[in-house]
Amino acid sequence: MPDKGMLSLVGAGPGDPDLITVKGLRAIADADLILYDALVNKQLLDSNPVAEKHYVGKRKGQHAYSQSEINKLIVSNIQRGKHVVRLKGGDVSVFARAAEEIEYASFFGIQTQVIPGISSYSGIAAQHQIPLTRRCEYESIWVTTGHTCKGEISEDIKHAAQSSATIVILMGMTKIKDIQTELLKYKSEDYPVAIVQNGTLPNEKHHVTNLGNLVEDVLKHDLQSPALIIVGHAVVDNVCKLVSTTSIPQFV
Ligand code: SAH
């Protein structure tokens, strides 16, 4: 055990355990204690057989630990000289409450090492060959939550719907009807949407539809959380389509 404890916030990537960074894997191997969330692939924990491991994520809609309990668990263990790895799904800067943990630790004079991960929004889109941006066509990406801290749908969905951005909605499945209603105020019924559940994992399910059929198709295909809702022409404009054209694409 090191004389002086430390905190590493590590992004575990979108699901496939091979999609963590080398640096993240090294931090896991060096940890004395790993506090991990629901969306972390449990296979990653096997890469350190000796570390203590605590699940601190949500269970059936309830928190196993409150954020305040997690913060205290981090600090008390670091004060005992442990290297605590806080392992989170995707990237720690995207809907992961990293700032609260960094702030709390710094109040006790603890510096945090942050190791980036591949966020689900970009990793899953990339794996599906969905170009979230495309030169001269989709000039921005709007990554938002379907479920704010107050349990409502985000006002940002309304703003995003009025732009040409590719919209990626996380944590949106419980509000899918409200999301459809909001988007249809600004976009047409045939506007493309993809739902990807358990992206990059062997049990992945995905479906490409449009705004008009969104809720019906989610029910028909039994698509559930964790899932991404990707909205925009990018969804149907993938690299596969380019490859299948008869002439060689010209780029300027
Ligand atoms: N920090 C994470 C996001 C945490 S919020 C990141 O960077 O990806 C949790 C939400 O992320 C889920 O409700 C879901 O919308 C999305 N998500 C994370 N992993 C996913 C996966 N493998 N497949 C589909 N959606 C995923």
Side-chain angles (χ1 to χ4, degrees), residues 14-15 39 89-92 94-96 118-121 124 169-172 196-201 226-228:
L39 293 177
D91 181 61
V92 300
V94 180
F95 300 120
I118 298 177
S119 182
S120 58
Y121 83 83
I124 291 169
I169 305 170
L170 282 73
M171 298 178 279
V196 188
Q197 175 185 337
N198 293 321
T200 77
L201 288 163
L228 291 184

PDB file of all heavy atoms in Angstrom, residues 14-15 39 89-92 94-96 118-121 124 169-172 196-201 226-228, ligand 1:
ATOM      1  N   PRO A  14     -17.330   2.694 -23.340  1.00  0.00           N
ATOM      2  CA  PRO A  14     -18.774   2.489 -23.515  1.00  0.00           C
ATOM      3  C   PRO A  14     -19.310   1.105 -23.149  1.00  0.00           C
ATOM      4  O   PRO A  14     -20.524   0.937 -23.067  1.00  0.00           O
ATOM      5  CB  PRO A  14     -18.976   2.762 -25.006  1.00  0.00           C
ATOM      6  CG  PRO A  14     -17.660   2.517 -25.632  1.00  0.00           C
ATOM      7  CD  PRO A  14     -16.615   2.852 -24.607  1.00  0.00           C
ATOM      8  N   GLY A  15     -18.475   0.114 -22.987  1.00  0.00           N
ATOM      9  CA  GLY A  15     -19.018  -1.209 -22.653  1.00  0.00           C
ATOM     10  C   GLY A  15     -18.029  -2.319 -22.944  1.00  0.00           C
ATOM     11  O   GLY A  15     -17.615  -3.050 -22.035  1.00  0.00           O
ATOM     12  N   LEU A  39     -22.584   0.923 -15.228  1.00  0.00           N
ATOM     13  CA  LEU A  39     -22.298   0.715 -16.649  1.00  0.00           C
ATOM     14  C   LEU A  39     -20.849   0.286 -16.922  1.00  0.00           C
ATOM     15  O   LEU A  39     -20.440   0.173 -18.070  1.00  0.00           O
ATOM     16  CB  LEU A  39     -22.661   1.970 -17.449  1.00  0.00           C
ATOM     17  CG  LEU A  39     -24.165   2.264 -17.491  1.00  0.00           C
ATOM     18  CD1 LEU A  39     -24.446   3.559 -18.233  1.00  0.00           C
ATOM     19  CD2 LEU A  39     -24.943   1.120 -18.121  1.00  0.00           C
ATOM     20  N   GLY A  89     -18.563   4.510 -16.237  1.00  0.00           N
ATOM     21  CA  GLY A  89     -18.835   4.160 -17.628  1.00  0.00           C
ATOM     22  C   GLY A  89     -18.522   5.329 -18.560  1.00  0.00           C
ATOM     23  O   GLY A  89     -18.669   6.495 -18.185  1.00  0.00           O
ATOM     24  N   GLY A  90     -18.056   5.024 -19.759  1.00  0.00           N
ATOM     25  CA  GLY A  90     -17.800   6.066 -20.769  1.00  0.00           C
ATOM     26  C   GLY A  90     -16.652   6.956 -20.366  1.00  0.00           C
ATOM     27  O   GLY A  90     -15.582   6.492 -19.969  1.00  0.00           O
ATOM     28  N   ASP A  91     -16.893   8.261 -20.460  1.00  0.00           N
ATOM     29  CA  ASP A  91     -15.892   9.252 -20.054  1.00  0.00           C
ATOM     30  C   ASP A  91     -16.377   9.934 -18.774  1.00  0.00           C
ATOM     31  O   ASP A  91     -17.581  10.146 -18.601  1.00  0.00           O
ATOM     32  CB  ASP A  91     -15.711  10.294 -21.168  1.00  0.00           C
ATOM     33  CG  ASP A  91     -14.669  11.327 -20.785  1.00  0.00           C
ATOM     34  OD1 ASP A  91     -13.508  10.934 -20.568  1.00  0.00           O
ATOM     35  OD2 ASP A  91     -15.014  12.514 -20.660  1.00  0.00           O
ATOM     36  N   VAL A  92     -15.423  10.302 -17.916  1.00  0.00           N
ATOM     37  CA  VAL A  92     -15.826  10.869 -16.622  1.00  0.00           C
ATOM     38  C   VAL A  92     -16.347  12.303 -16.732  1.00  0.00           C
ATOM     39  O   VAL A  92     -16.922  12.823 -15.785  1.00  0.00           O
ATOM     40  CB  VAL A  92     -14.666  10.819 -15.596  1.00  0.00           C
ATOM     41  CG1 VAL A  92     -14.215   9.385 -15.364  1.00  0.00           C
ATOM     42  CG2 VAL A  92     -13.505  11.676 -16.026  1.00  0.00           C
ATOM     43  N   VAL A  94     -18.641  13.289 -18.894  1.00  0.00           N
ATOM     44  CA  VAL A  94     -19.979  13.310 -19.518  1.00  0.00           C
ATOM     45  C   VAL A  94     -20.999  12.661 -18.570  1.00  0.00           C
ATOM     46  O   VAL A  94     -20.961  11.442 -18.353  1.00  0.00           O
ATOM     47  CB  VAL A  94     -19.958  12.555 -20.877  1.00  0.00           C
ATOM     48  CG1 VAL A  94     -21.332  12.575 -21.529  1.00  0.00           C
ATOM     49  CG2 VAL A  94     -18.916  13.152 -21.815  1.00  0.00           C
ATOM     50  N   PHE A  95     -21.868  13.459 -18.013  1.00  0.00           N
ATOM     51  CA  PHE A  95     -22.917  12.980 -17.105  1.00  0.00           C
ATOM     52  C   PHE A  95     -22.391  11.945 -16.109  1.00  0.00           C
ATOM     53  O   PHE A  95     -22.929  10.834 -15.999  1.00  0.00           O
ATOM     54  CB  PHE A  95     -24.103  12.398 -17.894  1.00  0.00           C
ATOM     55  CG  PHE A  95     -24.750  13.394 -18.813  1.00  0.00           C
ATOM     56  CD1 PHE A  95     -24.800  13.181 -20.183  1.00  0.00           C
ATOM     57  CD2 PHE A  95     -25.284  14.576 -18.310  1.00  0.00           C
ATOM     58  CE1 PHE A  95     -25.389  14.113 -21.029  1.00  0.00           C
ATOM     59  CE2 PHE A  95     -25.873  15.513 -19.151  1.00  0.00           C
ATOM     60  CZ  PHE A  95     -25.920  15.286 -20.515  1.00  0.00           C
ATOM     61  N   ALA A  96     -21.356  12.308 -15.395  1.00  0.00           N
ATOM     62  CA  ALA A  96     -20.731  11.319 -14.509  1.00  0.00           C
ATOM     63  C   ALA A  96     -20.449  11.858 -13.105  1.00  0.00           C
ATOM     64  O   ALA A  96     -19.829  11.164 -12.302  1.00  0.00           O
ATOM     65  CB  ALA A  96     -19.440  10.792 -15.153  1.00  0.00           C
ATOM     66  N   ILE A 118     -13.548   6.646 -23.512  1.00  0.00           N
ATOM     67  CA  ILE A 118     -14.350   6.879 -24.721  1.00  0.00           C
ATOM     68  C   ILE A 118     -15.799   6.995 -24.265  1.00  0.00           C
ATOM     69  O   ILE A 118     -16.347   6.055 -23.672  1.00  0.00           O
ATOM     70  CB  ILE A 118     -14.220   5.713 -25.711  1.00  0.00           C
ATOM     71  CG1 ILE A 118     -12.770   5.556 -26.176  1.00  0.00           C
ATOM     72  CG2 ILE A 118     -15.161   5.897 -26.900  1.00  0.00           C
ATOM     73  CD1 ILE A 118     -12.543   4.359 -27.108  1.00  0.00           C
ATOM     74  N   SER A 119     -16.415   8.122 -24.523  1.00  0.00           N
ATOM     75  CA  SER A 119     -17.809   8.299 -24.121  1.00  0.00           C
ATOM     76  C   SER A 119     -18.722   7.446 -25.011  1.00  0.00           C
ATOM     77  O   SER A 119     -18.423   7.221 -26.189  1.00  0.00           O
ATOM     78  CB  SER A 119     -18.191   9.770 -24.239  1.00  0.00           C
ATOM     79  OG  SER A 119     -19.516   9.936 -23.797  1.00  0.00           O
ATOM     80  N   SER A 120     -19.835   7.035 -24.439  1.00  0.00           N
ATOM     81  CA  SER A 120     -20.778   6.217 -25.223  1.00  0.00           C
ATOM     82  C   SER A 120     -21.258   6.981 -26.458  1.00  0.00           C
ATOM     83  O   SER A 120     -21.403   6.396 -27.524  1.00  0.00           O
ATOM     84  CB  SER A 120     -21.973   5.812 -24.359  1.00  0.00           C
ATOM     85  OG  SER A 120     -22.624   6.950 -23.842  1.00  0.00           O
ATOM     86  N   TYR A 121     -21.454   8.291 -26.323  1.00  0.00           N
ATOM     87  CA  TYR A 121     -22.075   9.015 -27.451  1.00  0.00           C
ATOM     88  C   TYR A 121     -21.190   8.980 -28.689  1.00  0.00           C
ATOM     89  O   TYR A 121     -21.672   8.821 -29.802  1.00  0.00           O
ATOM     90  CB  TYR A 121     -22.447  10.455 -27.053  1.00  0.00           C
ATOM     91  CG  TYR A 121     -21.341  11.474 -27.131  1.00  0.00           C
ATOM     92  CD1 TYR A 121     -21.032  12.083 -28.330  1.00  0.00           C
ATOM     93  CD2 TYR A 121     -20.592  11.796 -26.011  1.00  0.00           C
ATOM     94  CE1 TYR A 121     -20.002  13.006 -28.409  1.00  0.00           C
ATOM     95  CE2 TYR A 121     -19.574  12.710 -26.072  1.00  0.00           C
ATOM     96  CZ  TYR A 121     -19.279  13.317 -27.279  1.00  0.00           C
ATOM     97  OH  TYR A 121     -18.250  14.204 -27.349  1.00  0.00           O
ATOM     98  N   ILE A 124     -19.996   4.750 -29.553  1.00  0.00           N
ATOM     99  CA  ILE A 124     -21.032   3.901 -30.156  1.00  0.00           C
ATOM    100  C   ILE A 124     -21.357   4.398 -31.570  1.00  0.00           C
ATOM    101  O   ILE A 124     -21.502   3.608 -32.500  1.00  0.00           O
ATOM    102  CB  ILE A 124     -22.279   3.850 -29.240  1.00  0.00           C
ATOM    103  CG1 ILE A 124     -21.922   3.076 -27.968  1.00  0.00           C
ATOM    104  CG2 ILE A 124     -23.475   3.218 -29.954  1.00  0.00           C
ATOM    105  CD1 ILE A 124     -22.935   3.146 -26.852  1.00  0.00           C
ATOM    106  N   ILE A 169     -29.044  11.838 -27.377  1.00  0.00           N
ATOM    107  CA  ILE A 169     -29.714  11.955 -26.072  1.00  0.00           C
ATOM    108  C   ILE A 169     -29.347  10.748 -25.209  1.00  0.00           C
ATOM    109  O   ILE A 169     -29.553   9.596 -25.601  1.00  0.00           O
ATOM    110  CB  ILE A 169     -31.248  12.057 -26.239  1.00  0.00           C
ATOM    111  CG1 ILE A 169     -31.589  13.230 -27.175  1.00  0.00           C
ATOM    112  CG2 ILE A 169     -31.930  12.223 -24.873  1.00  0.00           C
ATOM    113  CD1 ILE A 169     -33.042  13.301 -27.603  1.00  0.00           C
ATOM    114  N   LEU A 170     -28.788  11.036 -24.044  1.00  0.00           N
ATOM    115  CA  LEU A 170     -28.464   9.998 -23.077  1.00  0.00           C
ATOM    116  C   LEU A 170     -29.563   9.993 -22.019  1.00  0.00           C
ATOM    117  O   LEU A 170     -30.185  11.038 -21.754  1.00  0.00           O
ATOM    118  CB  LEU A 170     -27.102  10.271 -22.407  1.00  0.00           C
ATOM    119  CG  LEU A 170     -25.853   9.932 -23.240  1.00  0.00           C
ATOM    120  CD1 LEU A 170     -25.638  10.935 -24.347  1.00  0.00           C
ATOM    121  CD2 LEU A 170     -24.605   9.883 -22.357  1.00  0.00           C
ATOM    122  N   MET A 171     -29.747   8.865 -21.382  1.00  0.00           N
ATOM    123  CA  MET A 171     -30.731   8.735 -20.288  1.00  0.00           C
ATOM    124  C   MET A 171     -32.124   9.199 -20.735  1.00  0.00           C
ATOM    125  O   MET A 171     -32.838   9.847 -19.971  1.00  0.00           O
ATOM    126  CB  MET A 171     -30.258   9.534 -19.057  1.00  0.00           C
ATOM    127  CG  MET A 171     -28.949   9.019 -18.502  1.00  0.00           C
ATOM    128  SD  MET A 171     -28.352   9.980 -17.103  1.00  0.00           S
ATOM    129  CE  MET A 171     -27.595  11.377 -17.926  1.00  0.00           C
ATOM    130  N   GLY A 172     -32.486   8.871 -21.961  1.00  0.00           N
ATOM    131  CA  GLY A 172     -33.743   9.399 -22.503  1.00  0.00           C
ATOM    132  C   GLY A 172     -34.878   8.390 -22.614  1.00  0.00           C
ATOM    133  O   GLY A 172     -36.001   8.774 -22.951  1.00  0.00           O
ATOM    134  N   VAL A 196     -29.688   2.819 -29.830  1.00  0.00           N
ATOM    135  CA  VAL A 196     -28.699   1.756 -29.618  1.00  0.00           C
ATOM    136  C   VAL A 196     -28.672   1.417 -28.128  1.00  0.00           C
ATOM    137  O   VAL A 196     -28.332   2.253 -27.298  1.00  0.00           O
ATOM    138  CB  VAL A 196     -27.280   2.170 -30.069  1.00  0.00           C
ATOM    139  CG1 VAL A 196     -26.337   0.971 -30.000  1.00  0.00           C
ATOM    140  CG2 VAL A 196     -27.280   2.774 -31.469  1.00  0.00           C
ATOM    141  N   GLN A 197     -29.064   0.187 -27.836  1.00  0.00           N
ATOM    142  CA  GLN A 197     -29.075  -0.285 -26.444  1.00  0.00           C
ATOM    143  C   GLN A 197     -27.848  -1.173 -26.222  1.00  0.00           C
ATOM    144  O   GLN A 197     -27.495  -1.982 -27.074  1.00  0.00           O
ATOM    145  CB  GLN A 197     -30.354  -1.091 -26.209  1.00  0.00           C
ATOM    146  CG  GLN A 197     -30.454  -1.743 -24.840  1.00  0.00           C
ATOM    147  CD  GLN A 197     -31.688  -2.617 -24.702  1.00  0.00           C
ATOM    148  OE1 GLN A 197     -32.682  -2.442 -25.413  1.00  0.00           O
ATOM    149  NE2 GLN A 197     -31.633  -3.571 -23.792  1.00  0.00           N
ATOM    150  N   ASN A 198     -27.190  -1.021 -25.073  1.00  0.00           N
ATOM    151  CA  ASN A 198     -25.987  -1.814 -24.741  1.00  0.00           C
ATOM    152  C   ASN A 198     -24.950  -1.769 -25.863  1.00  0.00           C
ATOM    153  O   ASN A 198     -24.394  -2.800 -26.251  1.00  0.00           O
ATOM    154  CB  ASN A 198     -26.353  -3.277 -24.450  1.00  0.00           C
ATOM    155  CG  ASN A 198     -27.178  -3.416 -23.191  1.00  0.00           C
ATOM    156  OD1 ASN A 198     -26.922  -2.725 -22.199  1.00  0.00           O
ATOM    157  ND2 ASN A 198     -28.166  -4.273 -23.215  1.00  0.00           N
ATOM    158  N   GLY A 199     -24.693  -0.575 -26.366  1.00  0.00           N
ATOM    159  CA  GLY A 199     -23.751  -0.401 -27.472  1.00  0.00           C
ATOM    160  C   GLY A 199     -22.367  -0.964 -27.162  1.00  0.00           C
ATOM    161  O   GLY A 199     -21.898  -0.854 -26.041  1.00  0.00           O
ATOM    162  N   THR A 200     -21.760  -1.572 -28.149  1.00  0.00           N
ATOM    163  CA  THR A 200     -20.414  -2.193 -28.140  1.00  0.00           C
ATOM    164  C   THR A 200     -20.349  -3.495 -27.333  1.00  0.00           C
ATOM    165  O   THR A 200     -19.279  -4.082 -27.186  1.00  0.00           O
ATOM    166  CB  THR A 200     -19.275  -1.242 -27.658  1.00  0.00           C
ATOM    167  OG1 THR A 200     -19.306  -1.120 -26.226  1.00  0.00           O
ATOM    168  CG2 THR A 200     -19.319   0.118 -28.306  1.00  0.00           C
ATOM    169  N   LEU A 201     -21.484  -3.952 -26.825  1.00  0.00           N
ATOM    170  CA  LEU A 201     -21.501  -5.195 -26.024  1.00  0.00           C
ATOM    171  C   LEU A 201     -22.126  -6.339 -26.824  1.00  0.00           C
ATOM    172  O   LEU A 201     -22.890  -6.086 -27.761  1.00  0.00           O
ATOM    173  CB  LEU A 201     -22.300  -4.964 -24.739  1.00  0.00           C
ATOM    174  CG  LEU A 201     -21.572  -4.075 -23.727  1.00  0.00           C
ATOM    175  CD1 LEU A 201     -22.539  -3.546 -22.685  1.00  0.00           C
ATOM    176  CD2 LEU A 201     -20.409  -4.810 -23.085  1.00  0.00           C
ATOM    177  N   PRO A 226     -29.655   0.745 -20.753  1.00  0.00           N
ATOM    178  CA  PRO A 226     -29.015   1.971 -21.217  1.00  0.00           C
ATOM    179  C   PRO A 226     -29.022   2.049 -22.742  1.00  0.00           C
ATOM    180  O   PRO A 226     -28.631   1.108 -23.425  1.00  0.00           O
ATOM    181  CB  PRO A 226     -27.578   1.824 -20.700  1.00  0.00           C
ATOM    182  CG  PRO A 226     -27.344   0.338 -20.680  1.00  0.00           C
ATOM    183  CD  PRO A 226     -28.673  -0.285 -20.379  1.00  0.00           C
ATOM    184  N   ALA A 227     -29.474   3.182 -23.225  1.00  0.00           N
ATOM    185  CA  ALA A 227     -29.533   3.347 -24.678  1.00  0.00           C
ATOM    186  C   ALA A 227     -29.237   4.787 -25.080  1.00  0.00           C
ATOM    187  O   ALA A 227     -29.476   5.716 -24.305  1.00  0.00           O
ATOM    188  CB  ALA A 227     -30.912   2.937 -25.190  1.00  0.00           C
ATOM    189  N   LEU A 228     -28.731   4.924 -26.281  1.00  0.00           N
ATOM    190  CA  LEU A 228     -28.542   6.245 -26.884  1.00  0.00           C
ATOM    191  C   LEU A 228     -29.652   6.466 -27.892  1.00  0.00           C
ATOM    192  O   LEU A 228     -30.031   5.536 -28.607  1.00  0.00           O
ATOM    193  CB  LEU A 228     -27.235   6.299 -27.687  1.00  0.00           C
ATOM    194  CG  LEU A 228     -25.894   6.244 -26.991  1.00  0.00           C
ATOM    195  CD1 LEU A 228     -24.803   6.422 -28.043  1.00  0.00           C
ATOM    196  CD2 LEU A 228     -25.781   7.303 -25.919  1.00  0.00           C
TER     197      LEU A 228
HETATM  198  N1  SAH B   1     -20.256   8.890 -18.672  1.00  0.00           N
HETATM  199  C1  SAH B   1     -21.070   8.130 -19.580  1.00  0.00           C
HETATM  200  C2  SAH B   1     -22.531   8.536 -19.546  1.00  0.00           C
HETATM  201  C3  SAH B   1     -23.212   8.217 -18.221  1.00  0.00           C
HETATM  202  S1  SAH B   1     -24.933   8.578 -18.265  1.00  0.00           S
HETATM  203  C4  SAH B   1     -20.493   8.258 -20.994  1.00  0.00           C
HETATM  204  O1  SAH B   1     -19.563   9.052 -21.223  1.00  0.00           O
HETATM  205  O2  SAH B   1     -20.963   7.532 -21.863  1.00  0.00           O
HETATM  206  C5  SAH B   1     -25.597   7.000 -18.616  1.00  0.00           C
HETATM  207  C6  SAH B   1     -26.212   6.955 -19.992  1.00  0.00           C
HETATM  208  O3  SAH B   1     -25.199   6.830 -20.996  1.00  0.00           O
HETATM  209  C7  SAH B   1     -27.123   5.784 -20.227  1.00  0.00           C
HETATM  210  O4  SAH B   1     -28.424   5.963 -19.695  1.00  0.00           O
HETATM  211  C8  SAH B   1     -27.152   5.734 -21.747  1.00  0.00           C
HETATM  212  O5  SAH B   1     -27.982   6.736 -22.279  1.00  0.00           O
HETATM  213  C9  SAH B   1     -25.712   6.075 -22.086  1.00  0.00           C
HETATM  214  N2  SAH B   1     -24.884   4.864 -22.243  1.00  0.00           N
HETATM  215  C10 SAH B   1     -23.776   4.549 -21.568  1.00  0.00           C
HETATM  216  N3  SAH B   1     -23.269   3.378 -21.987  1.00  0.00           N
HETATM  217  C11 SAH B   1     -24.074   2.945 -22.978  1.00  0.00           C
HETATM  218  C12 SAH B   1     -24.096   1.802 -23.827  1.00  0.00           C
HETATM  219  N4  SAH B   1     -23.159   0.860 -23.779  1.00  0.00           N
HETATM  220  N5  SAH B   1     -25.090   1.709 -24.743  1.00  0.00           N
HETATM  221  C13 SAH B   1     -26.026   2.648 -24.857  1.00  0.00           C
HETATM  222  N6  SAH B   1     -26.073   3.752 -24.075  1.00  0.00           N
HETATM  223  C14 SAH B   1     -25.111   3.902 -23.150  1.00  0.00           C
END
